[in-house]
Structures are given as C-alpha cells and as structure tokens.
Amino acid sequence: MHQQTFSRGVSDSLRGVMQVGIMLSHLSYTSAEPALLFTLANKFGTSIIALYFFISGYGLMQSVRAGRGVGHLGKRLWGIFKPMLFITLMFGVYQIFYGSGYSDQWLSQLVWQGRTPLPNSWFVFVLMWLYISFWLAFRYLQRRRTPALIILLLLSVVGVIWCQVQGYERAWWATTLAFFSGSLYAEYESKIYRYAKRWWALALALLFVASLVVADIEYLLPLAYLVIPVVAIVLMNRLGYAAWIDRKGGKSGEPKTSIGAQIHQGIRQLMAYLARISYELYLVHGVLIIVFRGDLIYICSDYTYALAVVVGSILAADLLHGLFHLKLRPRQA
C-alpha cells in the first residue's frame, strides 16, 4: 500500500512561503549590511529552490501513478511561459527608457551564456526543460515507470552537463536533480520513507550533505539536492508540521470557533493565498528589486526599499495571477 508522507496540503503550504523566502534571499544582495532575516533566507535559498523542483517532480509523478497521465505538454509549457513573456516585455520597455537598454543578442546570450532577459528567470527555463524531460520519459512508458525514471535521470543529467560546459551560472544546474528526486520519491515513497525516517538514516543523509559541502567540489553539488528535500520531509513530519497543516481546526478536540482554531485557519488561508500567486511572485520580484533602485524610482532607505519590494511584489503578483487566470462568463441571452 502506498504511504502518503507528503500531502498536497503540506506542499501547497510551502510553495508560497518558499517564494517569499527566495524574495528575501535576493534582497540580501541589495545592502552592505543586510538584515538577519535576509541573510538567513540567503543561506537556505538554494535548498528552497531544490524543494520547489522536488515538489514539481513529485506532483507530476503522483499524476502518472493516479492514471491521469503526463498531460498536454504544450498547454503546460504555455501556462509557464505566458506570464514570463508578458513580464519580460514590460521589463524590456522599462529597460529601454530607464535601464540599460535592449540587447538584440538576447537569444544567443540565453543559449550560450545562460543570461536571461528577465531577472532570475533561469528557473523558468530549467523548469520547462524538466517538464519536457518528464514528458519524453513517461509519454509512452507510463506502465513501465522504472525505465521511465532512468530516462528522466539521464535527460536531467544532460541538462546539468550542458549548463556546466557552457559556463552557466551555478543556479542553472545546482538543484536540477531535485526534480528527479521528487519523481523517484513519489514512485517509491513508502520504501524510501520507511528508511529515511530512522535516526541513523537521517544522520547519514546529513553527513553526506555536509561532506559534499566541506569537500567543496562544485560539480558534485547536485548530489546534495537529491537528498536535502527528503530530509526536509522527514523533519517536517517528525516535528509535527505536516500534522499541523493537515489538521482542519485547532488542537485535537478543540472547537472550530476557538481562538486557536481561528488562528490556525487564518495561517492556512494566508499560506494558500501565497501559494496561489507563488509563480507570479517569483517572476515579478526580481523586476521590482531593480525598478525600486533605478533611474525612475530610487528608494534610499534599505528597510523602506525592502518593504516596498515585498508589498509591491505581492500586489503585482496578485494582479497578474488574476489577469492570467481570468475566466470570462458566457453572455446570456
């Protein structure tokens, strides 16, 4: 029997919070003396991205296991690309009038150097490559998932090697294998978790990650992010986070009208809201980090600047999400 150790509620609760963490992480580069919160977010920034890739691979694999298939690739890719294209065009207009201008070499710079026209949008291109790899691996092998997982691993490694050979920034390839890790975990969840939750296995995993960090061999770094998301799942379950999120009210036996239950529900609703706009939040925050310290707008105070980026990003992400998920009602006679 397949044991569910990473529920939809837990993964949804993380997506928005993780994007806020990434935003704070990027804000740590905007000040000579960044706030402690930004510094801590920066320390965990790469692990947050890895967990996001892990969630994506896990979700797709669960869909295959449930018999829903790999879905329509073109529709999925367009859903990812469309918001990025819109924001890129808006940012391009800004760059022409108030920034460094528009480069007609953007395509060659993207392919051969990994330089994206939109800040931090490397993440989107990697995600699209991973979706394509998953589709290629599982399109005709949905009933033979182990060989498909091997193909997915090989295609993921090809992407990592390409980025390394071309000299792309480390962000492009460091966390890529976490997507495969999520798919593998979804397929063998019960078996993996049965061992991963034991204290000695958790200690070995942490020792493995620490060894890679101490060794400081850059090309081996992706191996760490095969393991880190699984460690995070074990810790979330052991520390009670998963049970807390999946609970419908406050403490067990507590009335739903109690203050504890209302606080619990309020936090869940906030997390759900941030999760809903998480993708747009990722796309837009890098733009505002530049705009609010540009020629058109320049906010001197670091704290006012950070607050403006956070609040502005959330509001803009909410607007964009509504724009791209607008459903028009049919006209009534």
Side-chain angles (χ1 to χ4, degrees), residues 60 63-64 67-77 131 134-136 138-139 142:
L60 285 177
S63 180
V64 170
R68 294 190 293 270
V70 293
H72 192 282
L73 179 65
K75 184 177 180 180
R76 186 180 293 274
L77 292 180
Y131 277 167
F134 190 92
W135 187 87
L136 291 173
F138 285 90
R139 180 66 178 86
Q142 294 182 36

Side-chain angles (χ1 to χ4, degrees), residues 158-235:
V158 167
V160 171
I161 293 174
W162 168 268
C163 294
Q164 291 179 345
V165 170
Q166 293 301 129
Y168 284 20
E169 185 183 359
R170 189 174 69 177
W172 278 85
W173 51 264
T175 57
T176 302
L177 295 185
F179 182 92
F180 165 76
S181 179
S183 301
L184 181 70
Y185 186 82
E187 175 64 9
Y188 301 105
E189 186 167 3
S190 299
K191 294 179 181 178
I192 293 175
Y193 189 78
R194 186 188 312 146
Y195 291 100
K197 68 179 181 180
R198 299 176 181 178
W199 69 267
W200 57 266
L202 192 60
L204 284 176
L206 293 172
L207 180 62
F208 173 73
V209 173
S211 299
L212 290 174
V213 172
V214 172
D216 197 25
I217 302 175
E218 193 170 59
Y219 293 142
L220 296 181
L221 188 61
L223 297 178
Y225 296 103
L226 282 169
V227 176
I228 288 175
V230 179
V231 172
I233 289 175
V234 172
L235 291 177

Side-chain angles (χ1 to χ4, degrees), residues 29-52:
Y29 298 109
T30 64
S31 172
E33 297 181 3
L36 178 61
L37 178 61
F38 300 164
T39 302
L40 289 174
N42 184 257
K43 296 295 184 182
F44 292 98
T46 309
S47 296
I48 292 172
I49 289 289
L51 189 54
Y52 200 98

Side-chain angles (χ1 to χ4, degrees), residues 39-311:
T39 302
L40 289 174
N42 184 257
K43 296 295 184 182
F44 292 98
T46 309
S47 296
I48 292 172
I49 289 289
L51 189 54
Y52 200 98
F53 280 139
F54 180 93
I55 290 173
S56 299
Y58 181 87
L60 285 177
M61 192 63 184
Q62 288 287 21
S63 180
V64 170
R65 287 180 56 84
R68 294 190 293 270
V70 293
H72 192 282
L73 179 65
K75 184 177 180 180
R76 186 180 293 274
L77 292 180
W78 179 239
I80 296 172
F81 185 72
K82 181 170 60 174
M84 185 188 71
L85 177 62
F86 177 82
I87 298 173
T88 300
L89 291 174
M90 295 297 99
F91 183 64
V93 172
Y94 171 83
Q95 288 286 74
I96 290 173
F97 290 100
Y98 300 104
S100 58
Y102 170 79
S103 173
D104 57 1
Q105 302 296 317
W106 67 269
L107 183 58
S108 63
Q109 290 175 352
L110 173 63
V111 174
W112 302 112
Q113 302 173 33
R115 293 175 58 185
T116 58
L118 186 70
N120 306 315
S121 59
W122 65 267
F123 171 83
V124 183
F125 291 101
V126 172
L127 189 61
M128 289 195 293
W129 166 249
L130 292 172
Y131 277 167
I132 292 171
S133 299
F134 190 92
W135 187 87
L136 291 173
F138 285 90
R139 180 66 178 86
Y140 300 105
L141 291 173
Q142 294 182 36
R143 297 181 182 274
R144 301 179 61 192
R145 294 193 292 269
T146 298
L149 280 168
I150 295 173
I151 294 173
L152 174 61
L153 175 60
L154 293 175
L155 291 173
S156 300
V157 170
V158 167
V160 171
I161 293 174
W162 168 268
C163 294
Q164 291 179 345
V165 170
Q166 293 301 129
Y168 284 20
E169 185 183 359
R170 189 174 69 177
W172 278 85
W173 51 264
T175 57
T176 302
L177 295 185
F179 182 92
F180 165 76
S181 179
S183 301
L184 181 70
Y185 186 82
E187 175 64 9
Y188 301 105
E189 186 167 3
S190 299
K191 294 179 181 178
I192 293 175
Y193 189 78
R194 186 188 312 146
Y195 291 100
K197 68 179 181 180
R198 299 176 181 178
W199 69 267
W200 57 266
L202 192 60
L204 284 176
L206 293 172
L207 180 62
F208 173 73
V209 173
S211 299
L212 290 174
V213 172
V214 172
D216 197 25
I217 302 175
E218 193 170 59
Y219 293 142
L220 296 181
L221 188 61
L223 297 178
Y225 296 103
L226 282 169
V227 176
I228 288 175
V230 179
V231 172
I233 289 175
V234 172
L235 291 177
M236 282 188 291
N237 286 330
R238 281 188 169 274
L239 295 175
Y241 176 80
W244 181 80
I245 282 294
D246 289 332
R247 208 166 52 225
K248 299 300 182 183
K251 296 180 180 179
S252 178
E254 188 177 35
K256 293 184 178 181
T257 56
S258 67
I259 295 177
Q262 291 176 1
I263 293 174
H264 178 266
Q265 183 63 19
I267 293 174
R268 281 168 53 96
Q269 290 176 350
L270 176 60
M271 287 180 166
Y273 168 72
L274 291 174
R276 189 165 60 250
I277 63 171
S278 61
Y279 180 58
E280 292 83 1
L281 187 60
Y282 181 88
L283 292 175
V284 77
H285 82 273
V287 172
L288 293 188
I289 283 176
I290 293 175
V291 169
F292 288 160
R293 282 275 169 92
D295 293 336
L296 179 63
I297 303 172
Y298 192 92
I299 302 175
C300 296
S301 169
D302 286 339
Y303 292 103
T304 304
Y305 167 71
L307 181 62
V309 169
V310 172
V311 174

